[in-house]
């Protein structure tokens, strides 16, 4: 399997910086502030608009839409469906983060329904991607006990089935459109001790889905940015507390992607 | 136009420190933690009480009330109206932050209704203030594409119409009661890369509206504190991540206001 | 009264690190991110699952449950009751943080009802514990104007009445099961200038309630961890902003508890 080439990733970052997208984020309650700060650090414009009619209206103005079901409840599910419907009508790409899907019934049914609504990309950990594709998993939902490589067949199947790009992330990230795979290395296990790193990655994936061109490479670049900066920052901080400001600074200063 | 004099701003800060207010914040989901930390750093007491009956009860105990419509939805709108009604009966001043008003229908109708309920002050960016006053704007709501100076006539008109103090903030902040204007300089564009700096400013405006005296100067002092500390901190941090802790420390240590 | 011995606290921390719990947090809107980061820094696994059916399902999978009523509203109260009922059926211990109870009617009624549902522990400030036990208090709910020592009789009575462990925290923390008391010193008033330190402590109390053994000592160890690390960090930071990353780093690095 090929790693995402440096030159391709850097070119994609330049394209992003030249046309920073407005990203509509319907995400979970816990990570909204960190998600917004990650997008702002990269130069994108985040916005969270939640009332169903407004969420629909805003999806047609935004350049992409993130749907994260971490703290799904009935009212927010209505907003999400309203936003997705409007996004699809307007041609706004939308991205699914199927947080903790599998073990919990309400969100699992909801996520399965969302698969029929043509997400541009899906980003999850191994357990989530396996559960969403219908494969068995060992997780309790919030912690992935499966490796991303073990989930790659499920990711490919899910990508073909939903005609989308799937990123299954972990120690190594695999990004697939069902026919082609790209791998992204980097990151650090310290990132698992900071809430929202995975959720924020999904928001960055959504932001990169606003770009014209090869979506497989755009999604891979989003993964690459987060794991490269996260990995580098982890080497020089004392713990998960100082990771957050250093990580946001690193995203803000990022100019090229090179191993 | 006059800048807010140093001596007046410093005296207002001393008055604030001597009687730190309890501020009831009904604000958007994304910025609640940062807003609370900004108020705490300045010595005020933030509280978020959201159930409609409790929100009403608490508005009569608090020294001021913030209404921020960034993530408005039906249930929270009910809480806001309940809190405002009780605040007005008890004489508790309340402040409106009309986030993204103009482009989105539900919140625009709601904000127009709130204008009839006697806000003590309104704080917004140029696009928001122009939209709220009924003038045309170019913004998508979340990003202000108009300058604060261009919005000053709208701010004056809005202040007269709603009998309130309006702060239209941007590279330069203008604060007006419709008859008198004050300008506040400072700040840094790095602050636009940190989520919630504007929303937190509105909370500080609400906190300063609890003071006895000339509200125009109190609102201007709130703007001055945020832009002075923000501008100074921006010069010595590496990016938006390290801005946040340094900014809160700066607010905590602030003793006098001087250019 | 005895201080919690170093050796006992350190042993309890080792036990915690050996079997890090999954903690279901139904907490207030303002502190969710900080709460999750505190638990992650200590090695525990936080999760916030809010839809009523899912909240019930997840309570049976989690090792403990936190109920914090800071931003209580009707829909979330339903989720909480659903989660508690399931937790009690599954034998999952749950912890109550009765934020601002006393002054506000809706949450006070709710918290009194929760007392009948067998919490494993209750953590509050002096005014909250006094109000919950039925004693008179001077507070407005969000700020404790009573000292923790003055609330100790109320804490003991509440512990006996609800057959639980009560931690009343302040300059000195007192932990009681109604028969035995333990005191914990440390901390710093800077911690009152950071939103969520008390709420995060309650989450850590919930995490420690997942351990087998003497709950009085487990709850006291949770208090000890937060006040020891918080007190040490406060000595070397410039303010409440830099407190947060340093505190999380300190929790992450914590190995032994010693005065």
């Amino acid at each position: 399997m090929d790693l995402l080439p440096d030159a391709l990733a850097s070119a994609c970052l330049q394209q992003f910086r030249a046309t920073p997208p407005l990203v509509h984020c319907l995400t979970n309650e816990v990570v909204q502030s960190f998600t917004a700060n990650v997008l702002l650090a990269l130069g994108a414009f985040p916005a969270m608009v939640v009332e169903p009619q407004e969420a629909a209206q805003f999806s047609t103005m935004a350049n992409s839409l993130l749907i994260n079901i971490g703290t799904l409840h009935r009212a927010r599910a209505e907003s999400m469906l309203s936003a997705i419907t409007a996004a699809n009508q307007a041609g706004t790409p939308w991205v699914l983060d199927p947080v903790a899907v599998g073990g919990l019934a309400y969100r699992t049914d909801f996520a399965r329904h969302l698969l029929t609504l043509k997400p541009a990309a899906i980003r999850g950990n191994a357990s989530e991607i396996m559960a969403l594709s219908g494969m068995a998993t060992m997780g309790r939902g919030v912690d992935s006990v499966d490796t991303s490589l073990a989930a790659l067949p499920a990711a490919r199947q899910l990508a073909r089935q939903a005609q989308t790009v799937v990123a299954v992330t972990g120690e190594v990230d695999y990004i697939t459109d069902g026919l082609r795979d790209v791998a992204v290395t980097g990151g650090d296990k310290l990132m698992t001790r900071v809430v929202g790193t995975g959720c924020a990655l999904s928001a960055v994936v959504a932001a990169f889905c606003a770009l014209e061109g090869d979506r497989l490479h755009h999604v891979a670049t989003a993964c690459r940015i987060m794991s490269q900066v996260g990995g580098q920052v982890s080497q020089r901080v004392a713990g998960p507390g100082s990771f957050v400001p250093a990580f946001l600074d690193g995203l803000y200063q990022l100019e090229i992607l090179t191993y």
Side-chain angles (χ1 to χ4, degrees), chain A residues 65-106:
Chain A
L65 167 66
L66 168 69
I67 299 292
N68 172 309
I69 61 171
T71 54
L72 190 70
H73 54 79
R74 221 155 290 265
R76 198 53 54 96
E78 184 194 345
S79 304
M80 289 177 177
L81 289 173
S82 175
I84 291 170
T85 303
N88 282 343
Q89 282 168 358
T92 306
W94 71 275
V95 168
L96 173 63
D97 185 335
V99 180
V101 87
L104 298 164
Y106 177 68

Side-chain angles (χ1 to χ4, degrees), chain A residues 203-229:
Chain A
V204 176
V205 167
F208 274 81
C209 282
L211 300 185
E212 297 291 323
D214 189 339
R215 187 155 286 155
L216 183 75
H217 291 148
H218 296 166
V219 173
T221 299
C223 295
R224 173 75 186 275
I225 287 170
M226 296 294 272
S227 52
Q228 179 174 313
V229 175

Side-chain angles (χ1 to χ4, degrees), chain A residues 35 67-68 78 92 95 134 136 176-177 180 184 195 204 218 233 248:
Chain A
T35 299
I67 299 292
N68 172 309
E78 184 194 345
T92 306
V95 168
T176 179
D177 60 9
R180 298 173 297 160
V184 167
V195 78
V204 176
H218 296 166
V233 163
L248 294 170

Side-chain angles (χ1 to χ4, degrees), chain A residues 30-55:
Chain A
V30 186
V31 303
Q32 297 204 80
S33 173
F34 183 62
T35 299
N37 276 328
V38 164
L39 289 174
L40 286 168
L42 284 169
F45 301 100
M48 286 71 171
V49 175
V50 304
E51 192 275 334
Q53 280 182 289
E54 280 198 349

